[in-house]
Amino acid sequence: MALEDAKTQIDQAFTRAELRGLSFENAFGGATSFLRRRLSKDLRRAQIAVTGIPFDQAVTNRPGTRFGPRAIREASTLQAFDAPYGWGYDPLSELSIVDYGDMAFDYANVPEVPARIEAHLAGIINAGVVPITLGGDHFITLPILRAIAAQHGPVALIQFDAHSDTWADDDMSRIDHGTFLYKALKLGLVAPETTVSVGIRTDNPDTLGVSTLDAPSVHQDGIEASLARIRKVVGDRPTYVTFDIDCLDPAFAPGTGTPVWGGLASWQAAALLRGLKGINMIGGDVVEVSPPYDPTGATAIAGAHVATELMALAGWGLRKEGR
């Protein structure tokens, strides 16, 4: 295929016959799916499923991350023509990837949302498919980790974030985007000795023993030293990667609920994600993209690239396993 296929290709989200291959339909037209992958609830041939959870409930400042999945998908249409740069392989052509669509839920019945998220992800995980999730506020990672742990047991965790999200909250029924890691640790879904937080730049009196690479240390120590520290924490354990878009400096991602200056540049995030090739990644998410606060679309573009990097990172492991 080549760019001239744009003359005939359209609505690849529905008309794509195969789950593999690049897409050349016009970026400005057609039905929107993540990277123009086929929209499908059939996971029998899939290796990776991208899914959206358009949920935000009690963010610190600016709501709107419920629009994140839609904006990320739209931004991703510019990335569907080529293999992700710098990976040395083409996950879009080598792997069977579907867009599993969004999770359905009753917006007026918030207490049922955690169980719905867990069940939604369990449907993907139990099918033997790697989930890449588009959020939504950072709360969604807690029920995702419940589903992951039900299949794999406690897993290692890499958290890219401006905030530690380990503020004390022992009411497990509360739905709070700022305490997902505290609860995941208390529930035994992850362990502090196998958890690392990257890009932190806000104070928290107790990080519960989690290893922290704050943003200044990444700036000062560089990419390779930071990667060595991350790899030492997670080793070869099954690892989940969660990326809060406010890990990036507001100059690169202003459309988020809690922007904090001094964060990672987009090139640093890209280098770190690509440098994690070979970890035993079993799933990942990108959260907190709030497009109403960024009319330029830069934050959604960043979110789409992060999701693509997570997909490529997961695919690297699948290739290694020969799956």
Side-chain angles (χ1 to χ4, degrees):
M1 295 191 299
L3 286 176
E4 57 263 24
D5 293 322
K7 292 183 292 187
T8 56
Q9 278 192 6
I10 194 66
D11 296 330
Q12 291 276 286
F14 302 113
T15 61
R16 172 184 292 277
E18 299 298 327
L19 301 185
R20 302 185 180 192
L22 299 174
S23 178
F24 296 101
E25 64 181 287
N26 289 318
F28 52 80
T32 303
S33 62
F34 184 73
L35 293 175
R36 303 293 191 181
R37 300 303 91 191
R38 184 175 181 83
L39 282 164
S40 178
K41 298 296 186 184
D42 184 354
L43 297 175
R44 286 175 294 179
R45 293 187 297 147
Q47 294 168 287
I48 296 175
V50 179
T51 190
I53 301 181
F55 174 80
D56 62 343
Q57 191 264 335
V59 294
T60 304
N61 184 28
R62 304 188 297 188
T65 58
R66 65 188 63 186
F67 298 108
R70 181 182 296 174
I72 289 171
R73 285 187 175 98
E74 182 178 350
S76 78
T77 59
L78 284 171
Q79 299 169 238
F81 308 120
D82 300 293
Y85 183 78
W87 281 92
Y89 86 108
D90 179 5
L92 298 179
S93 296
E94 293 189 30
L95 301 170
S96 298
I97 303 166
V98 300
D99 187 328
Y100 195 63
D102 285 349
M103 184 192 80
F105 64 96
D106 181 352
Y107 69 90
N109 193 353
V110 173
E112 76 165 12
V113 170
R116 277 188 170 267
I117 295 174
E118 185 176 347
H120 182 75
L121 268 292
I124 298 172
I125 297 162
N126 294 341
V129 177
V130 177
I132 303 297
T133 305
L134 315 176
D137 72 42
H138 216 158
F139 166 78
I140 71 168
T141 304
L142 179 61
I144 291 173
L145 287 173
R146 285 182 182 269
I148 291 280
Q151 176 80 351
H152 297 278
V155 296
L157 178 69
I158 302 173
Q159 173 199 11
F160 289 88
D161 210 325
H163 314 88
S164 68
D165 289 349
T166 56
W167 286 278
D169 181 6
D170 291 306
D171 181 352
M172 296 300 166
S173 67
R174 289 189 71 252
I175 298 174
D176 190 328
H177 79 296
T179 63
F180 93 89
L181 184 50
Y182 179 92
K183 291 176 179 177
L185 290 162
K186 293 294 183 178
L187 292 170
L189 308 177
V190 297
E193 62 270 19
T194 60
T195 299
V196 56
S197 298
V198 184
I200 306 300
R201 52 195 188 277
T202 52
D203 286 329
N204 189 331
D206 188 359
T207 57
L208 301 179
V210 170
S211 297
T212 300
L213 280 68
D214 64 8
S217 75
V218 176
H219 299 324
Q220 294 165 16
D221 298 340
I223 299 300
E224 292 305 318
S226 299
L227 284 169
R229 292 181 63 190
I230 296 169
R231 287 181 173 276
K232 184 176 180 180
V233 173
V234 302
D236 60 358
R237 303 173 185 86
T239 301
Y240 189 84
V241 181
T242 180
F243 197 109
D244 187 328
I245 205 68
D246 70 22
C247 180
L248 300 181
D249 190 87
F252 302 91
T256 188
T258 47
V260 185
W261 76 339
L264 302 190
S266 57
W267 73 265
Q268 291 174 307
L272 289 170
L273 289 169
R274 291 170 197 175
L276 290 172
K277 288 177 183 177
I279 65 168
N280 185 8
M281 180 182 166
I282 56 173
D285 63 54
V286 54
V287 297
E288 304 277 0
V289 172
S290 190
Y293 301 98
D294 179 10
T296 71
T299 309
I301 291 169
H305 278 280
V306 169
T308 302
E309 298 296 293
L310 293 175
M311 179 195 71
L313 180 57
W316 188 269
L318 293 173
R319 293 172 77 242
K320 182 179 177 182
E321 296 171 8
R323 291 169 59 187

